[in-house]
Structure formats: structure tokens, C-alpha cells
Amino acid sequence: MSATIRTTDPVTGQPLAEYEAWDTGRVEAAVERAHAAARAWARVPVNERATRVGHLATILREHKETLTHLAVSEMGKPIGEAEGEVGKSALTAEYYAEHGPGILADERVDIDGAEAWVAHEPVGLVLAVMPWNFPVWQVMRFAIPTLVAGNGVLLKHASNVTGSALALQDLFVEAGLPEHLVTALVIADSDVPDVTARLIEDDRVAAVTLTGSNRAGAAVGSAAGRAAKKSVLELGGSDAFMVLDDADVEPAAAAAVKARFTNSGQSCVCAKRFIVAAPVADAFTAAFVTAVEALRIGDPRARGTRIGPLARDDLRAAIQRQVQESVAAGARLLTGGKPLPGDGYFYQPTVLADTGPGLPAFDEETFGPLAAIAVARDDEDAVRLANATPYGLGLSIWTADPSRGVALARRVTSGAAFINAIVASDPRLPFGGTKRSGYGRELAASGIREFTNTRTYWVTA
């Protein structure tokens, strides 16, 4: 087990940096140090843990330029969105610095003849397998509450954002957290399945979380099950964006563009299936396509760029396959549909009409700038189409009657429902999915308690 990890600039397709992948001995030494750091951290009072994690907000803002540059260079995120990742992470650190100790406080229970309470105590060292599409936010979304809860972190970040992983590791130390409490593991892609399985089996690792593909989630979840260890899985999504017959079409279409093409469409919570009521379908489609064609494609370092490259060439090839197979099966191409010529991994923002169950653009998760429009006859048909997916992450419904939207949302399976708003994570609210979108929650009270031992105390005199 030893190799070289090479990162690539998706704008040019040219190499960025090389990193020596760790061998078995180096991984073992890192786990031992991280385990010791986590045990010591668990003994630090929660208020002090929260204060130190809160200082991370200042450090993140001080290093915004560096982190932004890394995200743009390594995975092609438009610069404004990369800056937004850093800012959102800082706000999350501040949220848990203020609210974490209260959420984790002992909960007293009235019992005659005894003193009883429920405590939320650290579980230990948590393995985190994180994706490339939000190099800063995905890590911080998990790590910040987990650290306030008193745990340590072994971070296996995606190899194409290795620079970001190492930079984040250093920032935790600069913020005042103990060295080795957050450890970035540098593992070659070919070694990841074996190393991850061994780490999950290791008695020093208490739990595991993964944000990524369903195939990776199935492997991690099954390994955690065999080891009888807690796991949280944040997996794929094929979110429905429902436009009802009473919706104001223009703002709905503008929101739809943002919901689909944020991060160049490379997000699990991007709206992917646009289910539009027949009476407004033509007007919505025309407004949507016009706005999509106005999106600026190009260098993600340039202010004003809305669509950067896909992070890897294989991702671009996957989108092209989904488009071609969907058109061959009856979908109608309204705009886009081709890779851009020249260097880098660019793909035209694409809209397909006449989609529905049985077409790849509707059935599969589309991780790139591809939107699929399906027309619903009525509310019943809209609910049927929204539920016609193995995924269940987010849902967005647009209507002039919010109560009607809520009533329909209760009939669609998802981890979150947004009425007249696009799906987004917020540190004050739990985030996670159902069905093949995974299980467990991040953020808010639910997220910080995921990796704690909910322990009962009963004391009699």
C-alpha cells in the first residue's frame, strides 16, 4: 500500500500537485495518535470544547482566500460559491459554540425515590469519509458538532481535494484544538476500500460517517453493521422540484435555475426532477430555458461565472451518457446536451423535456448541469412522479397556497420539504435523507447527538 496521489485542475485538465499516499505503518501511527487525542479531548469540559471550536470561525475567515483557491483549483467550484462554503462553515462553528453545550446538557427526569438524568457523552474516534463536491463545508458540517460533542476525527477526504483536506487539518490546530484530534488520512484510491474496512473494524474507531455515492455507502454501512458500530450515511439524491398550477411561474423558474445549477449541478440536494403542472408547464419551461441559456460558463476563478467545469472527466462522460440515452428513449432536448470543446471538463447546461419514469435523466442521480422536466396532469400525478424514485433527500414545492404545498409534501417521502424555497442545509435544522439517500442526521440538535452515547443515570440514596 503506497502510491502517489495526483490532483488535477478541472479547468485545464493539467496536474496540480502530487502527494505521497500513506503506507500501512503511517496509517497505524496516525490512528494511534488520533485515538489518544480523542480520549484526552473527551475529558475537556463541554464549554471549553465549544469555545475552542467557536474560535475556528475566526480562523476560517482569516484563511478564506486560501481555502477558496484550493476548492476552485481542485474541483472547479465557482469562486463565489467557494467563498460561501467557508462563510457557512464559520457560521456553523459559531452556532455550535453558542448552542452546543445546552444541547448536550444533562436532561433531568422526575422519578420518585431516585435522581435520574440522561447524558450525551462522547463516543470516541469517528471515521469520516467525505466527498469532493463541497471540500470545506462537507467536512465542517460533520466535524464541528462532532468535536463539540467531545469526539476525535479521522478524515478520509476525496483524493482529488487532498490539498483542501490537509489545509483543514492545519486550521483546527491553529484554532486551538489539540494536534492529531483531526487527522487527514492520505490514502490512494485503490487502497481506500481495504483501509476503510480495517478502520471500521478497529476497536479504536467508535463510529463512521460517509457522504458520497450509494455504492460507497453500502460498503461502509455493511462494514459498520458487521462491527456493530454506529454509522451515518448521507448519500445520493434526485430531488423533486414541484411547480403547482397556482404558482407564480417567473420566480419559480428563477429559483429552479439556482436549485439545479448550484455547484455546476454537482450536489446531492440540487433539484434534479422538475415536475410541473400541465396548465403552467409551457410558461415555466420557456422561462426556465431562457434563464439556463443565460448562465455564464467558464473559468470558475472569474467573478460572474455560474457554471464551472465538472470535477472529473468521468463525471462529464456520465452526464453525456444520461443525456444521450434519455433522448433515445423519448426525451426532448431543449438546450445544451454536449461537452464544450477545448481544455477542461466543461459541459453545456442542459434541459430535457418529456421525461418521466424509465428515462435515465429521471431515474438516476444526475450529478452535473442536467435538468429533467416532467409534466403532471394534476396534484395526484405530481405526487406519483415525485415519489417515483429510490431516493428521498429533499423536496421543493412552489404554490400560491403554502398550506396546499405542506399537504402535498406530507405525501412525498423525503428528509426535508421546502415550500416556496429551494432545498438547503442550515445549522439550525437537521439534514439528512430517507430511502437510498441514507440515514442519520447532521446539524442542529440531532446532528451533534448522532455521535454521542445517550446514557441513562439512576441514583438512589
Side-chain angles (χ1 to χ4, degrees), residues 189-254:
D189 287 342
S190 59
D191 296 327
V192 168
D194 289 342
V195 172
T196 301
R198 287 203 305 272
L199 289 174
I200 293 172
E201 293 170 0
D202 195 310
D203 288 340
R204 294 166 296 183
V205 173
V208 59
T209 183
L210 175 141
T211 299
S213 69
N214 288 85
R215 185 171 73 172
V220 165
S222 60
R226 288 192 299 271
K229 292 181 180 178
K230 176 67 176 288
S231 62
V232 170
L233 301 180
E234 300 284 0
L235 305 178
S238 187
D239 288 6
F241 187 106
M242 297 169 62
V243 183
L244 305 187
D245 55 15
D246 63 350
D248 190 340
V249 168
E250 290 295 333

Side-chain angles (χ1 to χ4, degrees), residues 131-286:
W132 48 263
N133 57 335
F134 291 88
V136 176
W137 169 240
Q138 294 280 15
V139 173
M140 292 300 178
R141 190 175 76 187
F142 149 76
I144 286 169
T146 297
L147 292 166
V148 174
N151 303 306
V153 173
L154 284 176
L155 170 62
K156 168 57 195 79
H157 216 332
S159 62
N160 60 325
V161 292
T162 298
S164 295
L166 296 173
L168 291 175
Q169 174 185 259
D170 292 342
L171 292 192
F172 284 106
V173 176
E174 187 174 342
L177 279 74
E179 193 173 4
H180 309 304
L181 184 63
V182 177
T183 297
L185 305 172
V186 184
I187 311 298
D189 287 342
S190 59
D191 296 327
V192 168
D194 289 342
V195 172
T196 301
R198 287 203 305 272
L199 289 174
I200 293 172
E201 293 170 0
D202 195 310
D203 288 340
R204 294 166 296 183
V205 173
V208 59
T209 183
L210 175 141
T211 299
S213 69
N214 288 85
R215 185 171 73 172
V220 165
S222 60
R226 288 192 299 271
K229 292 181 180 178
K230 176 67 176 288
S231 62
V232 170
L233 301 180
E234 300 284 0
L235 305 178
S238 187
D239 288 6
F241 187 106
M242 297 169 62
V243 183
L244 305 187
D245 55 15
D246 63 350
D248 190 340
V249 168
E250 290 295 333
V257 173
K258 183 177 180 181
R260 181 65 197 100
F261 295 100
T262 293
N263 206 32
S264 303
Q266 300 171 113
S267 172
C268 55
V269 295
C270 275
K272 300 183 172 81
R273 299 175 302 129
F274 295 84
I275 298 167
V276 188
V280 296
D282 288 346
F284 173 85
T285 299

Side-chain angles (χ1 to χ4, degrees), residues 424-444:
S425 57
D426 184 297
R428 298 166 294 184
L429 294 167
F431 177 86
T434 60
K435 300 197 294 187
R436 292 194 67 196
S437 290
Y439 53 76
R441 292 295 181 264
E442 293 182 326
L443 301 175

Side-chain angles (χ1 to χ4, degrees), residues 363-442:
D363 292 344
E364 301 175 11
E365 180 178 30
T366 52
F367 221 67
L370 166 61
I373 297 176
V375 176
R377 295 184 301 274
D378 51 29
D379 286 0
E380 288 294 326
D381 196 34
V383 169
R384 176 187 69 84
L385 289 169
N387 280 323
T389 177
Y391 297 102
L393 189 54
L395 168 69
S396 182
I397 298 179
W398 293 76
T399 174
D401 181 357
S403 62
R404 178 188 179 194
V406 171
L408 285 180
R410 294 188 185 279
R411 299 171 58 193
V412 178
T413 302
S414 67
F418 285 63
I419 311 302
N420 295 328
I422 64 175
V423 178
S425 57
D426 184 297
R428 298 166 294 184
L429 294 167
F431 177 86
T434 60
K435 300 197 294 187
R436 292 194 67 196
S437 290
Y439 53 76
R441 292 295 181 264
E442 293 182 326

